[in-house]
Structure formats: structure tokens, C-alpha cells
Amino acid sequence: MKKIIVFVFIILSYFSFAQKKNVLEITRNQTPSDRICFALYTVHNNIVKLTAQFYPIKDYEPFRAILQIKKGADWETVQESEIEYPGYTAHFRIEKWDDSQEATYRVVHNNKAFYEGTIQKNPIHKKEITMAAFSCWSLYERHGGQIPATDIVDNLKKLKPDVLFFSGDQAYDHSEHYKYWLKFGESFGDIIRNTPTICLVDDHDVGQGNLWGNGGKKINNRDGDEGGYYMPVSYIKEVERAQTSHLPDPYDPTPIEQGIGVYYTQMTWGGISFAIIEDRKFKSGPKRVLEKKRYADTRDMNVEGASLLGQRQLDFLEDWTTKWQDAEMKAVLSQTIFTNLATHSPTIDKKQGYSTDSNGWPQAGRNKALSVIRKSYSCMIAGDQHLGSVVQHGIEDWNNAGYSFAVPAAANFWMRWWNPEEKGKNHIKGMPDYTGEYEDAFHNKMTVHAVANPTHKDNSPREDLLKGRAAGYGIIKFNKEKRETTFECWERNVDMFAPGSKPYNGWPVTFSQLDNFKIKDGFELPIIKINQANQVVTVRNYYTSEVILSLRIKGNQFQPKVMQSGKYTIEVGEAKNIKRFYEIDAVKKNKEVLQVSL
């Protein structure tokens, strides 16, 4: 009995030591003057929201922080905030913010730690808005993780993007999010502190191998396919508080099951409106809705009751479609893209049948999401797939929904390939053989424009774990003057500004805003000529009032095209200055002119 007690004591002592060691790894070099690790912020609708991330508060140090703004040579205290635990985060909110001016801020703790950054002015007058986008930032050496991320940060300091987007998996440890979140901040803090940053939560962030959130249900395994969350609610809340509380206020803050919060919302910056969605949180777990483990025909998996975005987020996207205040172009940001692109994983020799973790499933949910997103001519940006790609989606036909960019993993251990057996239909001569029109594993229509496949064939150890694994990140350029979007996919450890530097083969990919809802053989409404330029035009079904399309046009003239004949309502203008025209017929080769005076 004594031997058992001694053994148990040794085991408990070991785990206690291991926990202390983890804390020591975080704090061993920290003094009271280094207590603040990093800070993230966004600006939307003249509201600044900022989250300051602290190292562990020690001894008798206060659980309180101060936010100051520099006024001339002086620092003005604008707000105080409690430091929340677990997670050690302080949250600030400033309303009636003048976003036409740049401002220097600093977070202060105990009058010993000072952390400075810049709240940028709204770049609404810039002709082109640049976003840098990342996914899957693993710090494990076996994944090719690097600390600090000097190759990326040095490029970004030269590029000076207008907004940063981290689509998920910023932390790969499944039980110590806080520790690895700090390391993420240490890697990217020097660019985050000065740049509006959008950050989402994905499966590894919340301690799971995969995540089908299923509206917040409790599950009993980390695999996640049952549908729900494995970790304690306090852990989930700490993760979302750290990574998303600086985002603009949620569209509908009503919690889901277990009291887990939501953060889906919109953010308008520099004339670009971003819909920020949680495509994992409401998605059905395959074990809950599918009768079989494997299906010979994946079309049989399109079962009733299987949800993707959930009705709440579909309602949000519908509402966002017609909101164009201060916006000229739109984009949807999510954890992953709406297709199942990969054919092989984790080696080129292992063919992958289908993946319910992708947003190619459930098919009906995928089609519902795309049918709403295309109404505002939005492109899509995401990550998660460990396979950089540009795809144009189709629903009823190829290419009649938006373009998506899945940015590659920043540290890519689990590799995937797009390696179809044949060229796609309507393949363009000179393009790689894997481009063209295809159906994915769930028979969803997609046109593949570019893919960054790994050149490594397997996961065998190599001295340079990033080379050949198609690791990297995305640069997105929204040209408001031309109404064009350009996707660039860049490899790690490449100087973007060196002579001769190029993105991955197949990039850049440039497309028109109107390509995000391309109708080959449709029906035309009258040519709308407006006495004021750059107005919002919205088309609704006359009988149901359902929105068919909505965008801020470029110039004074636009001819809407719809998929079905019938009668429509046309709305021109926005806010309180809208002209409506009822029972307008959509016909082939419509040459009528509708003159509009606002």
C-alpha cells in the first residue's frame, strides 16, 4: 500500500512540476515592465475595440489596466479595465472615435508596463485596400514552426497591409491555449499592434482535432464528429474572449447551448465590408445526422436536418447583403471554404475519398450559403485546408457563385494535394493540368484556378520542414477603382520585395467584382441610368420581396441580370434616399432604359 501511495505521489508531483514548468516557460524572462504581451484591435462604425493580452499577473500586482491615447506630447487616460481570468485579457471600447485621424495608443499596467501601438486612420480614400491572411500557425518544430516569424513580419512591415486576417488554428496545443496564444502574439505582435486584425477560432484553438459545433452541444471525445464541444465551457470562453472579443459587436449575441457565445458580425474598413462568420459553430456533426460510416455515393449524404451555417447566420448574411454604408466591395471571411478540394492526404500516395470536415458537406447547406453570399457579389477568404487554392464556386451551373481563396497553412505538417486524374472541363491552354471545371467529392460544382501543391511526397523528416510543404500565406488586394480583387499566395521564407520574387505558380489571380455572380444565360432588367454616380442598386422579387442582388455600382449605369424571368422591384439609392420601381419585367436582350433621378 505504501508503495502505491509513493507511486501516486511521484506521479502527482511530476504533473505538478510539469504544470509549473509550463508556467515558468512563459514567465521566466518576464519582469513587471514586460507584463503586456500584445494587443489586437478593430475599428468599425466609429467604435474602437481593443484586447490587451497579458502574461500571468503575479504576486500583488493589480488585475487592472489602463488605455491611454497620445494627445500632443501628453498621454490621456481614456479608459480603465479589469484584467479577466482565466486568460489574463483586458478589454477596451471607445465610442464616437474619429477614424479620419491616426492615433498612438498605449496600454499601461501598474505604471510599470507600457505597450504602444497605432490605431490607423480609416483608409477609405485609398484606391486599393490590402489584406494579409493566415491560417494554421503551428509552433511545433516538427510542423516547421518558427519563432519569431521574422520572414513574414519583415515582409508585412514593408507591405503595410490595411488589415490582417487570421482564419483559425492560431494555437495547436489541445489543452494549453493560453500558453500558445502568447507565443502567437510574440510572433506577430509587432505587426498586429499597428494594424486592424480580424481573428477567428477553429478546431485546434478549442482543443479538438475537428470541430462540428452543432450549436454548442457537449460531446465526449476530441474527434468532434459527434457534433459539439469537448473542452469545458470555461476553456471555450477563454479562447473566444482572447481571440475575438476585439471584433465589432456580434450581429445577434444570443448564446448557444452551454452558454457559449457567438461573434459572427460585420466590419467595414477602407471601403470594404467584411462579413465575419463562424462556419464551424452551427455545423451538424456527421455522426448525428448520417446513418452510415461510409457512402459509395456522396449525394446520399445530403440528408434532411444537416446544417452548415445555421439559420441565424443565413439571416445575418441576408441582412448584410443590402447594407452598403461606406462600402464599395464585399468579402466573406470564414474558417474554411465551401468545397472539398483535396484528393490526397497526408501523402501523395494516399487518395482521400471525401471529408465532412470541409464545407463541401452538407451540400444543401453549402448551396444555401453560397446562394446568399453571391447576392452581394462577395468573394470569400478562408484557410484550414493546408492547401492554398483559388476556386470559383457554382450552384446551378459552374461559375455562378463567388471566388474563394483558401490561404495555405503557415506551418504545414499535415499535407494535402489537389491531384485529379484528368484536366478540368473548359481547361485553358497553358494553365496547369489540374485547373478547369470539376465536381468535388460531394458533386459540388467548382472551377479550379490555382493550387499550391506540396512538392514533398510524404511526411518523412527533413532539415527544412517548411521547404516543399507548400506553407505560406495570402495577400488580397481590393482595387476599388477597377472593382477587381487580386489573390496572391506566397511561400514562407521568401522576400516578397526582392528582385524576381514571385508568388506560387498560378498566382496572382485577378477577377472582377461582377464575376462573383456570373449568369451565363439569364434575363435582363432595364438599363438603369442614374443622375448620381456609385449608387446602391438592389433587385427584389416583386411577389416575395426576397433580395436577388445588391451592390454599389461603379459609375452611373448598370443593367442587372437575373436567373429567372418574371417581375421584380428595383431599388436605387440607400438610407432615406431610395427610389423604388415596381413590377419591372426581366426579359431576354432587354434594351429598355430606366432613368433615375435622386
Side-chain angles (χ1 to χ4, degrees):
M1 184 66 180
K2 288 182 179 179
K3 289 182 178 179
I4 295 175
I5 293 173
V6 171
F7 176 75
V8 171
F9 176 77
I10 292 172
I11 294 296
L12 291 175
S13 298
Y14 170 79
F15 282 114
S16 176
F17 171 76
Q19 290 175 346
K20 289 178 181 178
K21 183 180 178 183
N22 287 336
V23 174
L24 287 172
E25 286 176 354
I26 299 172
T27 62
R28 64 177 182 267
N29 296 320
Q30 304 307 322
T31 65
S33 62
D34 301 318
R35 194 62 65 218
I36 307 166
C37 181
F38 71 111
L40 313 92
Y41 76 87
T42 60
V43 184
H44 170 70
N45 200 23
N46 300 109
I47 297 174
V48 174
K49 293 182 71 177
L50 183 147
T51 295
Q53 179 65 65
F54 290 77
Y55 293 102
I57 303 303
K58 301 174 69 174
D59 301 324
Y60 291 98
E61 292 176 346
F63 270 77
R64 196 160 186 82
I66 294 171
L67 178 63
Q68 297 180 328
I69 302 296
K70 198 166 190 179
K71 303 286 187 179
D74 300 322
W75 287 99
E76 178 182 307
T77 297
V78 294
Q79 206 166 94
E80 295 186 11
S81 174
E82 295 293 329
I83 297 173
E84 295 197 36
Y85 179 85
Y88 300 106
T89 51
H91 308 279
F92 301 95
R93 177 192 182 95
I94 309 174
E95 300 193 7
K96 298 181 180 179
W97 179 260
D98 180 6
D99 67 5
S100 67
Q101 302 294 322
E102 179 184 290
T104 302
Y105 72 88
R106 75 177 182 183
V107 180
V108 182
H109 180 252
N110 202 23
N111 210 30
K112 295 179 180 178
F114 302 89
Y115 186 91
E116 288 190 26
T118 302
I119 299 176
Q120 300 292 342
K121 70 177 182 179
N122 193 338
I124 195 165
H125 299 298
K126 288 182 64 175
K127 295 179 180 178
E128 186 171 82
I129 300 300
T130 301
M131 166 184 277
F134 306 88
S135 179
C136 306
W137 176 249
S138 172
L139 300 176
Y140 292 120
E141 289 184 6
R142 67 181 185 274
H143 294 181
Q146 294 178 346
I147 303 175
T150 51
D151 64 310
I152 296 175
V153 173
D154 287 350
N155 277 327
L156 296 186
K157 285 181 177 179
K158 297 175 186 176
L159 181 67
K160 296 182 179 178
D162 300 293
V163 61
L164 302 176
F165 173 43
F166 295 91
S167 69
D169 293 341
Q170 284 72 241
Y172 264 81
D173 187 275
H174 286 182
S175 57
E176 294 187 284
H177 169 267
Y178 171 62
K179 171 184 173 182
Y180 283 84
W181 176 243
L182 287 175
K183 291 180 180 295
F184 165 80
E186 290 171 350
S187 298
F188 289 98
D190 280 348
I191 188 69
I192 288 175
R193 71 168 80 207
N194 301 319
T195 314
T197 300
I198 298 168
C199 189
L200 307 186
V201 172
D202 208 352
D203 43 18
H204 294 288
D205 296 309
V206 295
Q208 295 181 206
N210 288 304
L211 177 62
W212 296 268
N214 217 84
K217 292 185 181 298
K218 176 68 177 174
I219 57 172
N220 299 311
N221 66 77
R222 289 185 190 268
D223 294 338
D225 53 2
E226 184 184 340
Y229 290 82
Y230 173 79
M231 293 297 282
V233 172
S234 58
Y235 189 94
I236 307 301
K237 288 185 175 181
E238 181 267 315
V239 171
E240 295 195 346
R241 186 164 58 243
Q243 295 188 193
T244 70
S245 60
H246 68 289
L247 296 177
D249 296 344
Y251 177 78
D252 173 7
T254 306
I256 56 175
E257 289 192 38
Q258 300 191 78
I260 296 171
V262 299
Y263 58 85
Y264 63 91
T265 186
Q266 70 173 36
M267 174 178 146
T268 303
W269 187 247
I272 312 299
S273 179
F274 300 102
I276 302 165
I277 62 174
E278 304 179 70
D279 44 306
R280 306 291 200 195
K281 185 162 278 182
F282 296 91
K283 185 174 179 177
S284 299
K287 274 192 176 180
R288 290 186 186 269
V289 295
L290 296 177
E291 297 177 355
K292 303 177 185 178
K293 288 186 177 180
R294 301 299 297 177
Y295 286 77
D297 189 338
T298 55
R299 286 170 288 198
D300 294 335
M301 301 172 68
N302 192 22
V303 297
E304 187 176 353
S307 173
L308 181 53
L309 296 187
Q311 192 58 49
R312 287 175 59 176
Q313 291 195 103
L314 290 172
D315 291 343
F316 156 62
L317 288 171
E318 282 280 3
D319 189 35
W320 172 75
T321 296
T322 56
K323 291 186 175 178
W324 287 91
Q325 182 179 350
D326 299 324
E328 296 177 57
M329 300 172 71
K330 292 193 174 189
V332 173
L333 309 180
S334 60
Q335 285 95 343
T336 194
I337 57 172
F338 295 90
T339 193
N340 184 173
L341 184 65
T343 56
H344 295 75
S345 182
T347 71
I348 189 61
D349 297 322
K350 189 171 182 180
K351 193 168 184 178
Q352 176 178 291
Y354 59 80
S355 172
T356 55
D357 179 56
S358 76
N359 279 350
W361 181 85
Q363 297 94 318
R366 174 257 191 197
N367 292 335
K368 284 180 183 177
L370 290 174
S371 66
V372 178
I373 291 169
R374 70 182 178 184
K375 293 180 181 183
S376 56
Y377 298 86
S378 300
C379 67
M380 293 156 277
I381 305 159
D384 173 69
Q385 290 298 299
H386 289 222
L387 182 62
S389 67
V390 175
V391 168
Q392 184 173 16
H393 300 273
I395 306 175
E396 302 86 356
D397 194 3
W398 278 270
N399 307 310
N400 66 0
Y403 276 75
S404 70
F405 185 7
V407 301
N412 193 7
F413 175 74
W414 188 269
M415 295 186 290
R416 292 186 173 99
W417 286 260
W418 165 245
N419 187 30
E421 295 177 355
E422 298 178 353
K423 294 180 182 179
K425 294 180 181 178
N426 294 316
H427 177 268
I428 299 173
K429 188 176 181 180
M431 295 293 289
D433 288 349
Y434 51 71
T435 59
E437 296 174 358
Y438 294 89
E439 287 188 353
D440 72 5
F442 295 101
H443 298 274
N444 299 307
K445 294 176 175 62
M446 62 176 185
T447 301
V448 178
H449 289 273
V451 176
N453 279 317
T455 55
H456 282 185
K457 304 302 181 185
D458 54 47
N459 275 329
S460 59
R462 287 169 171 80
E463 185 174 343
D464 185 348
L465 287 174
L466 286 177
K467 195 68 177 175
R469 291 181 174 273
Y473 53 98
I475 301 297
I476 298 94
K477 298 176 180 177
F478 300 95
N479 189 313
K480 296 182 293 183
E481 190 172 58
K482 295 182 178 179
R483 295 294 176 85
E484 290 180 346
T485 303
T486 297
F487 293 154
E488 298 177 4
C489 189
W490 286 89
E491 188 177 1
R492 292 291 306 276
N493 295 315
V494 169
D495 182 353
M496 292 170 54
F497 298 91
S501 286
K502 294 180 181 180
Y504 275 109
N505 182 40
W507 279 271
V509 176
T510 300
F511 55 93
S512 165
Q513 179 184 27
L514 297 179
D515 289 340
N516 288 308
F517 191 3
K518 186 184 291 184
I519 301 172
K520 292 179 185 176
D521 185 25
F523 300 85
E524 295 173 334
L525 289 160
I527 300 167
I528 304 170
K529 294 185 177 182
I530 313 168
N531 67 330
Q532 297 181 28
N534 304 335
Q535 295 298 309
V536 175
V537 174
T538 299
V539 175
R540 298 177 183 269
N541 182 299
Y542 171 70
Y543 298 103
T544 66
S545 294
E546 177 191 358
V547 174
I548 306 302
L549 61 88
S550 182
L551 87 159
R552 185 179 298 281
I553 69 170
K554 183 67 177 175
N556 297 80
Q557 182 173 309
F558 177 64
Q559 184 168 29
K561 196 171 186 179
V562 294
M563 298 179 68
Q564 297 177 344
S565 63
K567 295 186 180 296
Y568 294 85
T569 298
I570 297 176
E571 300 175 351
V572 180
E574 56 190 316
K576 296 180 179 180
N577 188 24
I578 297 178
K579 291 284 182 71
R580 292 181 173 87
F581 304 87
Y582 301 100
E583 295 191 75
I584 307 299
D585 289 312
V587 299
K588 296 284 187 179
K589 298 181 180 179
N590 197 333
K591 295 185 179 181
E592 289 189 29
V593 175
L594 179 63
Q595 297 282 356
V596 181
S597 180
L598 294 173

